[in-house]
Amino acid sequence: ADPIVVRMRALTARSPDVASLAQGVVHWSPPEPAIDAAAAAAREPSSHSYCDDRGWDPLRDALQRKLADEHGLVNSDVMVTAGANQAFANLALTLLDASDCALLFAPYYFNHKMMLETRGCHVYVAPATHDFLPRLEDVEAALACEDPPKMVIVVNPGNPTGTLVPRARLEAIRDACAARGCWLVVDNTYCDFTYDGAAHDCVPSGAGRRRYGPAGRRRYGAAGRRRYGP
């Protein structure tokens, strides 16, 4: 079957009264200081040269400070990528081999599943729950099976649900994965999009844990700006 986004576009094309709520693209533009800074950077010769494969060092340093100050994450190692999809692709290509297994939670972010399948992995999908939260028992059951996942993927807030995963749940899943030597990947792309006083939680890494996100481009109305230089 076609991916859900393809089917959604076909539906909206033939049904003008249908509104798509599938993608969290903000309606505002970047703030003026950001636009001015981008214009100034374009005039800097260094902006047009190669930088470290992990990204422009001043930007990486700034992101490390943000992770520490806003998310309580220290000892982080930052790689700047051209969008969160590239970050996940890097992780899948680096940490997984063809025929490895990975665990997603329904409803999952479709690009995660497509990348895992492209990598040649077997994808387990835990069933959706009434609160759209990943369940520890599903993780433990998958890790205890004959062919356990090498990677567990959690999205926080959920995409497409927007559901925030409580800190205690994240810690429990982290510890279960660490105990079995399984990678835990947490997609925090929409961490800045919380409402009604709700808080987004990140938890420090345990053994065998990696995280990617947040993606600040959406927060500042610059989703189309996919660069890892200045």
Side-chain angles (χ1 to χ4, degrees), residues 24-219:
V25 178
V26 301
H27 59 81
W28 55 82
S29 298
E32 286 298 321
I35 294 174
D36 293 340
R43 299 186 183 95
E44 288 289 333
S46 61
S47 296
H48 309 289
S49 301
Y50 287 117
C51 65
D52 188 283
D53 287 344
R54 296 172 298 170
W56 190 50
D57 284 338
L59 176 57
R60 294 178 62 242
D61 292 342
L63 289 171
Q64 283 182 312
R65 291 193 298 272
K66 170 185 167 56
L67 290 174
D69 296 343
E70 298 184 19
H71 304 282
L73 300 175
V74 296
N75 300 321
S76 58
D77 188 6
V78 173
M79 172 179 279
V80 185
T81 59
N85 284 322
Q86 186 201 344
F88 186 75
N90 289 354
L91 288 172
L93 293 170
T94 302
L95 303 178
L96 298 173
D97 294 316
S99 78
D100 280 341
C101 299
L103 176 65
L104 298 174
F105 300 90
Y108 52 81
Y109 177 44
F110 65 95
N111 275 1
H112 289 164
K113 187 169 188 287
M114 287 196 293
M115 182 60 221
L116 293 168
E117 291 175 338
T118 299
R119 186 71 181 101
C121 297
H122 303 296
V123 182
Y124 300 145
V125 179
T129 60
H130 72 282
D131 53 8
F132 298 120
L133 288 173
R135 298 192 309 173
L136 176 61
E137 49 264 48
D138 289 329
V139 176
E140 292 175 332
L143 292 173
C145 73
E146 183 176 349
D147 196 5
K150 191 175 179 180
M151 178 184 289
V152 172
I153 298 97
V154 172
V155 184
N156 184 35
N159 183 357
T161 65
T163 303
L164 288 162
V165 184
R167 185 179 187 86
R169 186 75 56 91
L170 288 170
E171 291 175 335
I173 293 174
R174 174 199 63 189
D175 294 344
C177 289
R180 293 282 186 148
C182 174
W183 295 102
L184 174 61
V185 173
V186 182
D187 177 349
N188 295 296
T189 296
Y190 288 96
C191 66
D192 294 315
F193 291 80
T194 60
Y195 304 93
D196 300 326
H200 172 270
D201 280 310
C202 287
V203 295
S205 299
R209 182 165 192 265
R210 290 296 182 270
R211 166 192 300 107
Y212 76 100
R217 295 174 298 107
R218 287 182 176 83
R219 175 183 184 180

Side-chain angles (χ1 to χ4, degrees), residues 12-25:
T12 54
R14 66 176 181 265
S15 307
D17 293 333
V18 174
S20 171
L21 303 178
Q23 192 174 19
V25 178

